[in-house]
Amino acid sequence: MPVEGLVAIGAGLAVGLAGIGSGIAEKDIGAAAVGAIAEDRSFFGQGLIFTVIPETIVIFGLVIAILLMFL
């Protein structure tokens, strides 16, 4: 198997596993945020920020994949 193929597999794993981990984290955070907003609407901004934070993990995975593919 050529080295380029292994790099592509590594890049795919970086993005895929980061996405799965982010989805699992966001599921629990989103449920808690909806519950908090249902009780007190002032938690909307804080809940929105906490829901967006796991998405940064996927961006890091994408950056690693891009670095693997082009370096």
Side-chain angles (χ1 to χ4, degrees):
M1 181 178 271
V3 175
E4 293 85 18
L6 292 176
V7 170
I9 290 172
L13 284 173
V15 174
L17 293 177
I20 289 172
S22 175
I24 291 170
E26 198 166 343
K27 168 186 62 111
D28 296 332
I29 294 171
V34 167
I37 293 168
E39 292 198 16
D40 187 2
R41 297 199 38 95
S42 67
F43 287 124
F44 177 76
Q46 193 174 18
L48 184 65
I49 290 173
F50 285 147
T51 304
V52 172
I53 286 174
E55 290 298 321
T56 60
I57 298 170
V58 177
I59 294 171
F60 293 147
L62 182 63
V63 167
I64 289 172
I66 290 171
L67 288 173
L68 283 174
M69 293 300 290
F70 294 110
L71 292 181

